[in-house]
């Protein structure tokens, strides 16, 4: 019986003809692990002792504090363990096996959840996500925060694995002490270039929670379309959305926020100004700048920073949006402003001459006027250009770094006293990047390498994998995001062992299991590394 396939590849060299033998083993390139967690916990001790899972026998008991988020989570994870672990319907009636091995300790009886503090209503930047989990016949999950309980339940569900005959679920005796390395761990989705259905966004939120990420950065509008349906300014989406069916109503947004809340995910809206606003101008052309070429008006560009109507529109719109989104952080964008349009406009040239301003000063003027329009308890996120243009920013403003030369940029922002969100190496629309490329990037590690200053590096508070929408739609978005963003999730949660730019050998196998886990839970992830399969 042939155990190996021999593939002969003919190679021509300067010495003549030769043959190279490449031995290909049958089966997956990286056999998946069994019951290993992604992202990797901070401290984990697993023993060969194991238990079997009987859905009719297993119970969950909640002690001390509880709330609707916890009740919903318990129901959700019991369903996931019972129905999304790879057991086929014909195998759901589990057989009792006679075992003679000493490491089998019977059925897992229950999970005791101890929440020691009252639930918070919404997740937030400083939320506690740490938890302790001890798996035995009677397992214990403890946290001081509802958000830590959610992360612990996700870990608990990932520890289960199929028996070799696929008739039973097993779980090993395990002790875990876990917490995230970075506070802000996000996915950006652009819903302007291609509209994403509400159901697609909900599926994305589910996948974010599976990977213990905690931010959905919603780049909701841009040049191409304005799918946010404003109650104060309905004409913007009526004219600026692709179609009347491709808008997000107030009811849609509240459903998305509640779905995210139940998974410990913050929803941060971005209304990018003054650039990326062409779709606004279909209803309100007066807020945009007329661009000129050789004294001929050729189109509309960024918002006009000198008109009161611009700031009146933004003030009213931002007030409405912030009443809808409970999140304190608000992303005002500020990137890729077409300064050439401003400098071409006769009115703005006169304004600059009268006020002794450069065209870059108009960007600073605009942002100085816009940021105070947000509610008093707001905190601001900006793209790095706003910092680069020396706009005065409060010290709690987060600067999102996205351009080349990112190490120098991060150091400059950090030395100014501001905190950094890192995205530059994690652009998912770059299709030539593999998950391993994203895994080899660690923003604090980069700052440490360049400065040897650990306190400075701590100012990097997190990062985001960015899925821009030009070349994705609802049919392709999940496979473009996952499993590559899994690498970002682990970098932002887990400790770095050794050099951050080296992918541990075990991670190649663990991400295979995790990818199949996501597929079983309805996430259309692509394959991580090559040939393989998933039991669904």
């Amino acid at each position: 019986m042939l155990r190996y396939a021999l593939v002969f590849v003919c190679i021509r060299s300067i010495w003549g003809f030769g043959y190279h033998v490449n031995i290909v083993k049958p089966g997956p390139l990286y056999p998946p692990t069994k019951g290993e967690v992604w992202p990797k916990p901070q401290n984990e001790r697993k023993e060969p002792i194991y238990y079997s899972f009987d859905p009719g026998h297993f119970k969950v008991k909640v002690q001390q504090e509880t709330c609707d988020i916890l009740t919903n989570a318990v129901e959700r994870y019991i369903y996931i363990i019972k129905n999304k672990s790879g057991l086929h319907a014909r195998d759901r009636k589990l057989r009792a096996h006679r075992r003679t091995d000493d490491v089998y300790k019977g059925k897992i009886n229950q999970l005791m959840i101890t929440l020691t503090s009252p639930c918070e209503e919404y997740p937030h930047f400083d939320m506690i996500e740490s938890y302790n989990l001890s798996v035995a016949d009677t397992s214990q999950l403890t946290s001081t925060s509802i958000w830590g309980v959610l992360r612990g339940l996700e870990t608990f569900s990932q520890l289960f694995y199929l028996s070799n005959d696929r008739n039973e679920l097993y779980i090993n005796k395990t002790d875990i002490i876990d917490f995230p390395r970075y506070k802000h761990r996000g996915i950006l989705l652009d819903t302007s270039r291609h509209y994403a259905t509400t159901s697609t966004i909900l599926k994305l939120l589910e996948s974010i929670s599976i990977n213990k990420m905690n931010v959905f950065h919603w780049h909701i509008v841009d040049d191409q379309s304005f799918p946010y349906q404003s109650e104060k300014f309905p004409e913007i989406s009526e004219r600026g959305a692709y179609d009347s069916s491709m808008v997000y109503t107030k009811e849609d947004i509240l459903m998305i926020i509640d779905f995210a809340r139940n998974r410990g995910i913050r929803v941060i809206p971005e209304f990018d100004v003054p650039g990326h606003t062409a779709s606004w101008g279909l209803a309100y052309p007066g807020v945009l700048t007329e661009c000129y070429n050789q004294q001929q008006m050729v189109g509309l560009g960024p918002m006009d920073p000198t008109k009161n109507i611009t700031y009146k529109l933004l003030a009213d719109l931002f007030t409405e949006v912030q009443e809808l989104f409970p999140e304190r952080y608000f992303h005002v964008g500020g990137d890729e402003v077409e300064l050439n349009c401003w400098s071409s406009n006769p009115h703005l040239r006169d304004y600059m001459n009268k006020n002794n301003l450069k065209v870059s000063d108009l960007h600073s003027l605009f942002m100085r006027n816009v940021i105070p329009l947000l509610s008093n308890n707001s905190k601001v996120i900006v793209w790095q250009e706003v910092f680069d243009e020396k706009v005065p920013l409060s010290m709690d403003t987060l600067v999102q770094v996205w351009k080349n030369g990112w190490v120098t940029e991060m150091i400059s922002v950090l030395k100014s006293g501001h905190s950094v969100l890192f995205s530059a190496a994690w652009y998912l629309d770059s299709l030539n990047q593999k998950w391993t490329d994203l895994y080899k990037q660690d923003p604090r590690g980069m700052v440490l390498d360049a400065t040897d200053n650990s306190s400075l590096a701590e100012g990097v508070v997190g990062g985001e994998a960015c899925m821009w929408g030009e070349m994705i739609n609802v049919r392709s978005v999940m496979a473009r995001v996952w499993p590559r963003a899994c690498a970002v999730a682990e970098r932002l949660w887990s400790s770095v062992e050794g050099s951050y730019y080296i992918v541990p050998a075990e991670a190649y196998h663990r991400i295979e299991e995790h990818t199949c886990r996501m597929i079983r839970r309805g996430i259309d992830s692509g394959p991580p590394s090559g040939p393989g399969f998933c039991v669904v």
Side-chain angles (χ1 to χ4, degrees), residues 20 22 76 79 134 145 194 197 279 323 332 401 418 495 503 522 528:
H20 169 71
N22 180 28
R76 185 167 67 250
Y79 176 82
S134 179
S145 164
H194 279 92
T197 61
S279 60
E323 288 174 354
V332 294
V401 173
H418 289 97
S495 296
V503 181

Side-chain angles (χ1 to χ4, degrees), residues 258-316:
D258 188 63
F259 191 94
R261 165 184 174 267
N262 274 281
R263 287 152 182 79
I265 299 169
R266 302 159 56 205
V267 182
I268 298 179
E270 180 186 357
F271 283 75
D272 195 356
V273 292
H276 294 281
T277 51
S279 60
W280 305 51
L282 295 175
Y284 289 93
V287 304
L288 301 185
T289 304
E290 293 182 345
C291 308
Y292 283 78
N293 183 18
Q294 297 181 351
Q295 300 182 337
Q296 294 291 322
M297 203 274 280
V298 293
L300 298 176
M303 289 183 165
D304 190 322
T306 65
K307 289 185 177 180
N308 290 334
I309 187 178
T310 301
Y311 301 112
K312 179 65 168 67
L313 172 64
L314 291 176
D316 290 344

Side-chain angles (χ1 to χ4, degrees), residues 23 25 185 219 311 323 342 345 405 431 483 487 519:
I23 300 176
K25 297 174 67 174
R185 309 179 307 280
H219 187 90
Y311 301 112
E323 288 174 354
W342 278 346
N345 182 280
L431 298 181
I519 290 172

Side-chain angles (χ1 to χ4, degrees), residues 53-341:
F53 175 79
D54 181 347
H57 181 78
F58 178 75
K59 305 295 181 185
V60 176
K61 182 177 180 181
V62 176
Q63 301 183 116
Q64 295 191 32
E65 303 291 340
T66 190
C67 60
D68 64 323
I69 297 177
L70 181 49
T71 301
N72 294 339
V74 168
E75 181 179 340
R76 185 167 67 250
Y77 278 102
I78 288 177
Y79 176 82
I80 287 169
I81 295 168
K82 288 181 179 180
N83 298 283
K84 300 296 181 179
S85 298
L87 293 169
H88 285 314
R90 65 176 182 274
D91 299 321
R92 291 281 165 82
K93 187 175 181 180
L94 303 181
R95 301 198 301 264
H97 289 261
R98 291 181 179 272
R99 296 181 184 83
T100 58
D101 54 315
D102 295 334
V103 291
Y104 174 67
K105 299 301 179 182
K107 297 175 181 178
I108 184 170
N109 296 318
Q110 64 178 345
L111 173 65
M112 305 282 289
I113 299 175
T114 304
L115 174 59
T116 60
S117 298
C119 295
E120 296 173 298
E121 187 175 3
Y122 288 99
H124 54 89
F125 178 79
D126 290 312
M127 62 181 168
I128 296 170
E129 298 174 272
S130 58
Y131 64 92
N132 293 349
L133 176 63
S134 179
V135 176
D137 54 353
T138 295
S139 301
Q140 303 280 345
L141 170 59
T142 304
S143 179
T144 61
S145 164
I146 180 59
W147 319 119
V149 170
L150 293 180
R151 307 304 175 231
L153 282 169
E154 180 59 44
T155 292
F156 183 68
S157 73
Q158 293 187 15
L159 289 168
F160 287 93
Y161 59 94
L162 281 169
S163 61
N164 289 334
D165 62 7
R166 293 172 55 192
N167 286 319
E168 289 193 282
L169 284 179
Y170 295 149
I171 189 169
N172 283 60
K173 182 174 174 58
T174 308
D175 290 295
I176 290 174
I177 300 172
D178 203 10
F179 52 89
R181 185 163 167 244
Y182 291 88
K183 290 184 176 181
H184 182 121
R185 309 179 307 280
I187 296 288
L188 175 151
L189 180 65
D190 163 18
T191 59
S192 172
R193 275 59 177 257
H194 279 92
Y195 174 79
T197 61
T198 300
S199 61
T200 299
I201 293 176
L202 297 182
K203 186 175 289 188
L204 179 66
L205 290 170
E206 185 67 31
S207 63
I208 288 172
S209 72
I210 294 171
N211 287 275
K212 293 192 178 75
M213 300 177 98
N214 64 0
V215 170
F216 170 43
H217 175 173
W218 194 353
H219 187 90
I220 191 168
V221 301
D222 209 291
D223 282 326
Q224 288 75 16
S225 74
F226 193 100
Y228 171 76
Q229 188 179 75
S230 168
E231 293 184 345
K232 291 183 179 178
F233 305 102
E235 59 274 13
I236 305 182
S237 61
E238 286 172 2
R239 299 186 183 183
Y242 284 136
D243 186 80
S244 60
S245 65
M246 297 180 180
V247 296
Y248 303 106
T249 66
K250 179 178 180 179
E251 291 72 25
D252 293 332
I253 292 170
L254 290 176
M255 178 172 60
I256 288 166
I257 291 170
D258 188 63
F259 191 94
R261 165 184 174 267
N262 274 281
R263 287 152 182 79
I265 299 169
R266 302 159 56 205
V267 182
I268 298 179
E270 180 186 357
F271 283 75
D272 195 356
V273 292
H276 294 281
T277 51
S279 60
W280 305 51
L282 295 175
Y284 289 93
V287 304
L288 301 185
T289 304
E290 293 182 345
C291 308
Y292 283 78
N293 183 18
Q294 297 181 351
Q295 300 182 337
Q296 294 291 322
M297 203 274 280
V298 293
L300 298 176
M303 289 183 165
D304 190 322
T306 65
K307 289 185 177 180
N308 290 334
I309 187 178
T310 301
Y311 301 112
K312 179 65 168 67
L313 172 64
L314 291 176
D316 290 344
L317 182 67
F318 287 174
T319 296
E320 175 186 303
V321 171
Q322 290 196 282
E323 288 174 354
L324 192 55
F325 287 82
E327 171 63 39
R328 287 187 66 188
Y329 277 92
F330 190 96
H331 206 306
V332 294
D335 65 313
E336 296 184 318
V337 181
E338 296 176 22
L339 301 182
N340 288 338
C341 175

Side-chain angles (χ1 to χ4, degrees), residues 352-409:
M352 287 186 282
N353 290 333
K354 289 178 182 177
N355 293 278
N356 194 28
L357 300 174
K358 304 187 299 293
V359 67
S360 59
D361 294 329
L362 293 180
H363 190 192
S364 179
L365 169 69
F366 181 88
M367 300 310 296
R368 285 201 310 270
N369 288 334
V370 163
I371 290 173
L373 301 179
L374 300 174
S375 62
N376 291 333
N377 67 342
S378 297
K379 294 185 178 182
V380 181
I381 306 175
V382 296
W383 295 107
Q384 69 180 69
E385 289 94 324
V386 179
F387 172 82
D388 294 341
E389 297 293 348
K390 297 181 172 52
V391 176
L393 300 169
S394 63
M395 294 314 297
D396 58 8
T397 299
L398 301 183
V399 179
Q400 191 159 3
V401 173
W402 71 278
K403 288 186 173 183
N404 290 330
W406 54 73
V407 176
T408 300
E409 181 76 15

